[in-house]
Amino acid sequence: MLATVPATAGFGVAELHLDIDDAEHERRHAAGLGVATGHGFGGLDVLMALPHGLPVPLADLTDHQRAYIRRAPAGICTVTDGQVVRHVTRPCQVQLATVRAASASQLAWDAAEKFATFCARRVIITRAPSVNWPEKLLEFGYYGIGVCLEHPDGRLETLVEPRLWRPKRHSPEAWWFAETAYGQFLAQQSSHAPTLSPAS
């Protein structure tokens, strides 16, 4: 499932384009689990140390890891016969962050660059580039930031293609970013949910 959500607090004004993991989304919904970040950022460190779906003896874990496992809510992991199995996985992939700006300015570059370690980046501008545009667009392209010009009719003209983003390593920070984006998706779904009128 594809979705577009606003960026989370601390990243400025941007749109995040998500690819939701449908199976994980449904599993979490059935377990009553939303985001997996509300239980301490260190929890993601613990979860990344556990293989998904495979039992690990509790005796092999550190005290910190066992403490997290004991307080983890339903849907994250289960403990049976002295072994823990991690069920939770990353709920989505953030494919692209889009920043909107009047022009390909330094402010637009700075806003897009905040997402460099998490996903591909693009700036949509509404004012045609000036005579000096080749140098500025070359700078955006050098750093992998795409640039599109939005015409008055809403049509987007690609001036610079965003560089395809490939993770260099899996990290708790990247998982946290995906979880917070997923939280925005859940909030958006909740606000769009139909409400029942009282029976007359």
Side-chain angles (χ1 to χ4, degrees):
M1 176 193 327
L2 300 177
T4 302
V5 301
T8 53
F11 284 95
V13 179
E15 293 177 338
L16 303 180
H17 307 268
L18 313 181
D19 186 359
I20 304 294
D21 183 324
D22 293 334
E24 176 66 2
H25 175 61
E26 292 301 323
R27 189 195 69 79
R28 290 191 186 199
H29 180 72
L33 177 67
V35 297
T37 56
H39 316 285
F41 179 73
L44 295 177
D45 295 326
V46 172
L47 295 174
M48 286 197 68
L50 300 174
H52 175 249
L54 298 175
V56 175
L58 284 172
D60 291 351
L61 304 182
T62 66
D63 290 342
H64 167 72
Q65 290 169 330
R66 282 193 293 270
Y68 173 80
I69 296 302
R70 280 196 295 271
R71 70 177 188 272
I76 287 186
C77 57
T78 55
V79 177
T80 310
D81 299 327
Q83 296 185 318
V84 59
V85 176
R86 171 170 69 91
H87 304 297
V88 73
T89 61
R90 196 178 300 199
C92 65
Q93 292 291 334
V94 182
Q95 302 288 353
L96 178 69
T98 295
V99 172
R100 292 182 177 269
S103 63
S105 64
Q106 185 63 41
L107 286 176
W109 186 93
D110 290 341
E113 187 61 16
K114 290 181 181 180
F115 301 93
T117 58
F118 301 116
C119 59
R121 296 147 296 146
R122 174 180 67 171
V123 173
I124 295 178
I125 60 176
T126 54
R127 191 165 61 228
S130 67
V131 69
N132 297 322
W133 70 268
E135 291 78 9
K136 197 62 182 175
L137 293 189
L138 280 172
E139 181 182 351
F140 275 74
Y142 178 81
Y143 288 98
I145 302 172
V147 180
C148 289
L149 174 63
E150 184 174 23
H151 292 275
D153 62 1
R155 179 175 56 88
L156 292 180
E157 177 186 354
T158 300
L159 305 178
V160 178
E161 287 283 353
R163 185 180 303 145
L164 185 64
W165 186 84
R166 290 188 178 89
K168 295 179 180 175
R169 65 186 182 91
H170 296 290
S171 66
E173 294 85 359
W175 191 347
W176 173 85
F177 183 72
E179 290 286 348
T180 54
Y182 180 65
Q184 294 286 76
F185 167 73
L186 293 179
Q188 196 174 72
Q189 277 204 323
S190 177
S191 67
H192 292 162
T195 56
L196 296 177
S197 301
S200 55

